[in-house]
Short mmCIF file of all heavy atoms in Angstrom, two decimals:
data_model
loop_
_atom_site.label_atom_id
_atom_site.label_comp_id
_atom_site.label_asym_id
_atom_site.label_seq_id
_atom_site.Cartn_x
_atom_site.Cartn_y
_atom_site.Cartn_z
N THR A 229 56.33 -12.34 -70.66
CA THR A 229 56.84 -12.66 -72.00
C THR A 229 56.02 -11.90 -73.03
O THR A 229 54.78 -11.89 -72.94
CB THR A 229 56.73 -14.19 -72.24
OG1 THR A 229 57.44 -14.85 -71.20
CG2 THR A 229 57.30 -14.58 -73.59
N CYS A 230 56.69 -11.29 -73.98
CA CYS A 230 55.99 -10.51 -75.01
C CYS A 230 54.95 -11.38 -75.73
O CYS A 230 55.21 -12.54 -76.04
CB CYS A 230 56.99 -9.95 -76.01
SG CYS A 230 56.21 -9.04 -77.36
N GLY A 231 53.81 -10.78 -76.00
CA GLY A 231 52.71 -11.54 -76.62
C GLY A 231 52.65 -11.44 -78.13
O GLY A 231 51.65 -11.81 -78.73
N TYR A 232 53.68 -10.94 -78.76
CA TYR A 232 53.65 -10.86 -80.22
C TYR A 232 54.37 -12.03 -80.89
O TYR A 232 53.79 -13.06 -81.09
CB TYR A 232 54.19 -9.50 -80.69
CG TYR A 232 53.19 -8.37 -80.50
CD1 TYR A 232 53.42 -7.34 -79.60
CD2 TYR A 232 52.01 -8.36 -81.22
CE1 TYR A 232 52.50 -6.32 -79.44
CE2 TYR A 232 51.08 -7.33 -81.06
CZ TYR A 232 51.33 -6.32 -80.17
OH TYR A 232 50.41 -5.31 -80.01
N CYS A 233 55.65 -11.87 -81.21
CA CYS A 233 56.24 -12.89 -82.08
C CYS A 233 56.92 -14.01 -81.31
O CYS A 233 57.05 -13.98 -80.09
CB CYS A 233 57.22 -12.25 -83.08
SG CYS A 233 58.89 -12.03 -82.46
N GLY A 234 57.39 -15.00 -82.07
CA GLY A 234 57.94 -16.21 -81.47
C GLY A 234 59.31 -16.06 -80.83
O GLY A 234 59.84 -17.02 -80.28
N VAL A 235 59.90 -14.87 -80.89
CA VAL A 235 61.18 -14.69 -80.21
C VAL A 235 61.00 -14.86 -78.69
O VAL A 235 61.84 -15.43 -78.01
CB VAL A 235 61.80 -13.30 -80.51
CG1 VAL A 235 63.11 -13.12 -79.74
CG2 VAL A 235 62.05 -13.13 -82.00
N GLY A 236 59.85 -14.38 -78.19
CA GLY A 236 59.57 -14.55 -76.77
C GLY A 236 60.41 -13.66 -75.88
O GLY A 236 60.94 -14.08 -74.84
N CYS A 237 60.54 -12.39 -76.26
CA CYS A 237 61.33 -11.46 -75.45
C CYS A 237 60.79 -11.36 -74.03
O CYS A 237 59.57 -11.34 -73.82
CB CYS A 237 61.31 -10.07 -76.09
SG CYS A 237 62.19 -10.02 -77.64
N GLN A 238 61.70 -11.24 -73.09
CA GLN A 238 61.31 -11.02 -71.70
C GLN A 238 61.11 -9.52 -71.51
O GLN A 238 62.02 -8.72 -71.79
CB GLN A 238 62.37 -11.56 -70.76
CG GLN A 238 62.47 -13.07 -70.80
CD GLN A 238 61.14 -13.75 -70.48
OE1 GLN A 238 60.72 -13.80 -69.33
NE2 GLN A 238 60.45 -14.26 -71.50
N ILE A 239 59.93 -9.15 -71.07
CA ILE A 239 59.61 -7.72 -70.92
C ILE A 239 59.17 -7.45 -69.49
O ILE A 239 58.68 -8.36 -68.81
CB ILE A 239 58.50 -7.27 -71.91
CG1 ILE A 239 57.22 -8.11 -71.73
CG2 ILE A 239 58.99 -7.34 -73.34
CD1 ILE A 239 56.06 -7.62 -72.58
N VAL A 253 57.09 -0.07 -71.28
CA VAL A 253 57.63 -1.43 -71.29
C VAL A 253 59.15 -1.34 -71.28
O VAL A 253 59.74 -0.63 -72.10
CB VAL A 253 57.19 -2.21 -72.56
CG1 VAL A 253 57.72 -3.63 -72.54
CG2 VAL A 253 55.67 -2.21 -72.68
N SER A 255 62.99 -3.68 -70.41
CA SER A 255 63.51 -5.05 -70.49
C SER A 255 64.90 -5.07 -69.88
O SER A 255 65.66 -4.11 -70.05
CB SER A 255 63.55 -5.49 -71.95
OG SER A 255 63.98 -6.83 -72.02
N PRO A 261 65.75 -14.30 -73.96
CA PRO A 261 66.54 -14.41 -75.19
C PRO A 261 66.89 -13.06 -75.81
O PRO A 261 67.55 -13.03 -76.83
CB PRO A 261 65.60 -15.17 -76.12
CG PRO A 261 64.23 -14.70 -75.71
CD PRO A 261 64.30 -14.43 -74.23
N ASN A 262 66.50 -11.93 -75.19
CA ASN A 262 66.61 -10.66 -75.92
C ASN A 262 67.61 -9.68 -75.32
O ASN A 262 67.83 -8.61 -75.89
CB ASN A 262 65.24 -9.99 -76.03
CG ASN A 262 64.52 -9.87 -74.71
OD1 ASN A 262 64.39 -10.83 -73.98
ND2 ASN A 262 64.06 -8.69 -74.39
N ASN A 265 66.93 -5.94 -75.30
CA ASN A 265 66.49 -5.32 -76.56
C ASN A 265 65.04 -5.67 -76.86
O ASN A 265 64.60 -6.79 -76.56
CB ASN A 265 67.37 -5.79 -77.73
CG ASN A 265 68.82 -5.45 -77.50
OD1 ASN A 265 69.15 -4.33 -77.13
ND2 ASN A 265 69.70 -6.43 -77.69
N LEU A 266 64.33 -4.74 -77.46
CA LEU A 266 62.94 -5.00 -77.86
C LEU A 266 62.75 -4.43 -79.26
O LEU A 266 63.52 -3.59 -79.72
CB LEU A 266 61.96 -4.32 -76.90
CG LEU A 266 61.96 -4.81 -75.46
CD1 LEU A 266 61.02 -3.96 -74.62
CD2 LEU A 266 61.54 -6.27 -75.36
N CYS A 267 61.66 -4.84 -79.89
CA CYS A 267 61.32 -4.21 -81.17
C CYS A 267 60.18 -3.22 -80.92
O CYS A 267 59.66 -3.10 -79.81
CB CYS A 267 60.94 -5.25 -82.21
SG CYS A 267 59.26 -5.86 -82.04
N VAL A 268 59.78 -2.54 -81.98
CA VAL A 268 58.76 -1.49 -81.85
C VAL A 268 57.43 -2.03 -81.29
O VAL A 268 56.74 -1.34 -80.55
CB VAL A 268 58.57 -0.78 -83.21
CG1 VAL A 268 58.08 -1.73 -84.29
CG2 VAL A 268 57.66 0.42 -83.10
N LYS A 269 57.12 -3.30 -81.61
CA LYS A 269 55.85 -3.84 -81.10
C LYS A 269 55.94 -4.12 -79.60
O LYS A 269 55.01 -3.80 -78.84
CB LYS A 269 55.47 -5.13 -81.84
CG LYS A 269 55.15 -4.91 -83.31
CD LYS A 269 54.67 -6.17 -83.98
CE LYS A 269 55.75 -7.20 -84.18
NZ LYS A 269 56.81 -6.82 -85.10
N GLY A 270 57.05 -4.71 -79.20
CA GLY A 270 57.21 -5.00 -77.77
C GLY A 270 57.26 -3.74 -76.94
O GLY A 270 56.74 -3.67 -75.83
N ARG A 271 57.87 -2.68 -77.48
CA ARG A 271 58.05 -1.45 -76.72
C ARG A 271 56.78 -0.59 -76.74
O ARG A 271 56.42 0.00 -75.74
CB ARG A 271 59.21 -0.66 -77.33
CG ARG A 271 59.64 0.54 -76.55
CD ARG A 271 60.74 0.30 -75.57
NE ARG A 271 61.95 -0.21 -76.19
CZ ARG A 271 62.96 -0.70 -75.48
NH1 ARG A 271 62.91 -0.76 -74.17
NH2 ARG A 271 64.04 -1.17 -76.08
N PHE A 272 56.14 -0.52 -77.91
CA PHE A 272 55.04 0.45 -78.06
C PHE A 272 53.70 -0.20 -78.42
O PHE A 272 52.75 0.52 -78.72
CB PHE A 272 55.39 1.48 -79.15
CG PHE A 272 56.58 2.33 -78.81
CD1 PHE A 272 57.78 2.18 -79.48
CD2 PHE A 272 56.49 3.28 -77.80
CE1 PHE A 272 58.89 2.96 -79.16
CE2 PHE A 272 57.59 4.07 -77.48
CZ PHE A 272 58.79 3.91 -78.16
N MET A 274 51.52 -2.08 -76.66
CA MET A 274 50.69 -2.63 -75.59
C MET A 274 49.43 -1.82 -75.30
O MET A 274 48.70 -2.14 -74.36
CB MET A 274 51.52 -2.77 -74.31
CG MET A 274 52.75 -3.63 -74.46
SD MET A 274 52.35 -5.30 -75.03
CE MET A 274 53.94 -5.92 -75.54
N THR A 399 63.56 -11.75 -91.63
CA THR A 399 63.90 -11.88 -90.21
C THR A 399 63.86 -10.56 -89.46
O THR A 399 63.34 -10.52 -88.34
CB THR A 399 65.31 -12.50 -90.06
OG1 THR A 399 65.47 -13.50 -91.07
CG2 THR A 399 65.49 -13.14 -88.72
N THR A 400 64.40 -9.49 -90.04
CA THR A 400 64.46 -8.24 -89.27
C THR A 400 63.07 -7.65 -89.03
O THR A 400 62.89 -6.88 -88.10
CB THR A 400 65.33 -7.19 -89.98
OG1 THR A 400 65.02 -7.19 -91.35
CG2 THR A 400 66.80 -7.46 -89.79
N GLU A 401 62.08 -8.02 -89.85
CA GLU A 401 60.74 -7.48 -89.64
C GLU A 401 59.84 -8.43 -88.84
O GLU A 401 59.02 -7.99 -88.05
CB GLU A 401 60.07 -7.16 -90.99
CG GLU A 401 60.82 -6.09 -91.75
CD GLU A 401 59.93 -5.23 -92.61
OE1 GLU A 401 58.86 -4.82 -92.17
OE2 GLU A 401 60.33 -4.97 -93.76
N CYS A 402 60.00 -9.72 -89.09
CA CYS A 402 59.07 -10.67 -88.46
C CYS A 402 59.61 -11.26 -87.15
O CYS A 402 58.83 -11.69 -86.31
CB CYS A 402 58.73 -11.79 -89.43
SG CYS A 402 57.96 -11.18 -90.92
N HIS A 403 60.92 -11.32 -87.01
CA HIS A 403 61.55 -11.78 -85.76
C HIS A 403 62.67 -10.80 -85.44
O HIS A 403 63.87 -11.14 -85.51
CB HIS A 403 62.09 -13.20 -85.91
CG HIS A 403 61.02 -14.20 -86.20
ND1 HIS A 403 60.56 -14.46 -87.47
CD2 HIS A 403 60.26 -14.96 -85.37
CE1 HIS A 403 59.59 -15.34 -87.41
NE2 HIS A 403 59.38 -15.67 -86.15
N PRO A 404 62.30 -9.55 -85.11
CA PRO A 404 63.28 -8.46 -85.09
C PRO A 404 64.50 -8.70 -84.21
O PRO A 404 65.61 -8.31 -84.59
CB PRO A 404 62.47 -7.26 -84.59
CG PRO A 404 61.04 -7.60 -84.90
CD PRO A 404 60.94 -9.08 -84.78
N ILE A 405 64.34 -9.32 -83.08
CA ILE A 405 65.50 -9.48 -82.19
C ILE A 405 66.46 -10.52 -82.77
O ILE A 405 67.68 -10.36 -82.69
CB ILE A 405 65.03 -9.86 -80.77
CG1 ILE A 405 64.21 -8.70 -80.17
CG2 ILE A 405 66.21 -10.22 -79.86
CD1 ILE A 405 64.93 -7.36 -80.11
N ILE A 406 65.94 -11.54 -83.40
CA ILE A 406 66.83 -12.49 -84.09
C ILE A 406 67.49 -11.77 -85.26
O ILE A 406 68.68 -11.94 -85.53
CB ILE A 406 66.03 -13.72 -84.57
CG1 ILE A 406 65.51 -14.48 -83.34
CG2 ILE A 406 66.88 -14.63 -85.45
CD1 ILE A 406 64.69 -15.71 -83.65
N GLY A 407 66.73 -10.92 -85.93
CA GLY A 407 67.28 -10.14 -87.04
C GLY A 407 68.46 -9.29 -86.62
O GLY A 407 69.49 -9.25 -87.29
N GLY A 557 56.13 -18.12 -86.03
CA GLY A 557 55.58 -16.78 -86.16
C GLY A 557 55.03 -16.20 -84.86
O GLY A 557 55.65 -15.35 -84.23
N ASN A 559 53.62 -15.69 -80.94
CA ASN A 559 54.27 -15.86 -79.66
C ASN A 559 54.26 -17.30 -79.15
O ASN A 559 55.23 -17.77 -78.57
CB ASN A 559 53.62 -14.95 -78.62
CG ASN A 559 52.12 -15.13 -78.56
OD1 ASN A 559 51.47 -15.33 -79.57
ND2 ASN A 559 51.55 -15.04 -77.38
N ASN A 679 58.72 -20.38 -76.85
CA ASN A 679 59.17 -19.54 -77.97
C ASN A 679 59.74 -20.40 -79.09
O ASN A 679 59.77 -21.62 -79.03
CB ASN A 679 60.13 -18.45 -77.50
CG ASN A 679 61.55 -18.97 -77.28
OD1 ASN A 679 61.80 -20.17 -77.29
ND2 ASN A 679 62.48 -18.07 -77.07
N GLN A 685 58.61 -20.36 -71.19
CA GLN A 685 58.84 -19.18 -70.35
C GLN A 685 57.56 -18.77 -69.64
O GLN A 685 56.46 -19.02 -70.13
CB GLN A 685 59.34 -18.01 -71.20
CG GLN A 685 60.56 -18.36 -72.06
CD GLN A 685 61.17 -17.14 -72.72
OE1 GLN A 685 62.20 -16.68 -72.30
NE2 GLN A 685 60.54 -16.61 -73.75
N LEU A 800 57.15 -5.08 -89.95
CA LEU A 800 57.66 -4.84 -88.60
C LEU A 800 56.62 -4.27 -87.64
O LEU A 800 56.49 -4.73 -86.51
CB LEU A 800 58.87 -3.89 -88.70
CG LEU A 800 59.48 -3.41 -87.39
CD1 LEU A 800 60.12 -4.57 -86.63
CD2 LEU A 800 60.54 -2.33 -87.65
N TRP A 803 50.99 -6.75 -86.59
CA TRP A 803 50.98 -8.15 -86.24
C TRP A 803 49.70 -8.80 -86.69
O TRP A 803 48.61 -8.31 -86.41
CB TRP A 803 51.18 -8.33 -84.73
CG TRP A 803 51.47 -9.74 -84.44
CD1 TRP A 803 50.69 -10.63 -83.76
CD2 TRP A 803 52.61 -10.45 -84.89
NE1 TRP A 803 51.28 -11.86 -83.76
CE2 TRP A 803 52.47 -11.77 -84.46
CE3 TRP A 803 53.73 -10.10 -85.64
CZ2 TRP A 803 53.41 -12.75 -84.74
CZ3 TRP A 803 54.67 -11.08 -85.92
CH2 TRP A 803 54.50 -12.37 -85.47
FE1 SF4 B 1001 57.96 -8.95 -78.89
FE2 SF4 B 1001 59.01 -10.31 -80.95
FE3 SF4 B 1001 59.44 -7.71 -80.74
FE4 SF4 B 1001 60.56 -9.40 -79.01
S1 SF4 B 1001 60.96 -9.29 -81.20
S2 SF4 B 1001 59.58 -7.46 -78.51
S3 SF4 B 1001 58.94 -10.96 -78.83
S4 SF4 B 1001 57.47 -8.71 -81.06
#
Side-chain angles (χ1 to χ4, degrees):
T229 304
C230 177
Y232 283 114
C233 86
V235 178
C237 292
Q238 292 303 285
I239 57 175
V253 182
S255 183
N262 51 309
N265 301 312
L266 296 175
C267 80
V268 62
K269 294 185 289 294
R271 188 92 59 191
F272 296 110
M274 302 303 165
T399 322
T400 44
E401 297 212 43
C402 300
H403 298 86
I405 296 303
I406 295 180
N559 53 323
N679 79 350
Q685 307 189 105
L800 175 66
W803 193 247

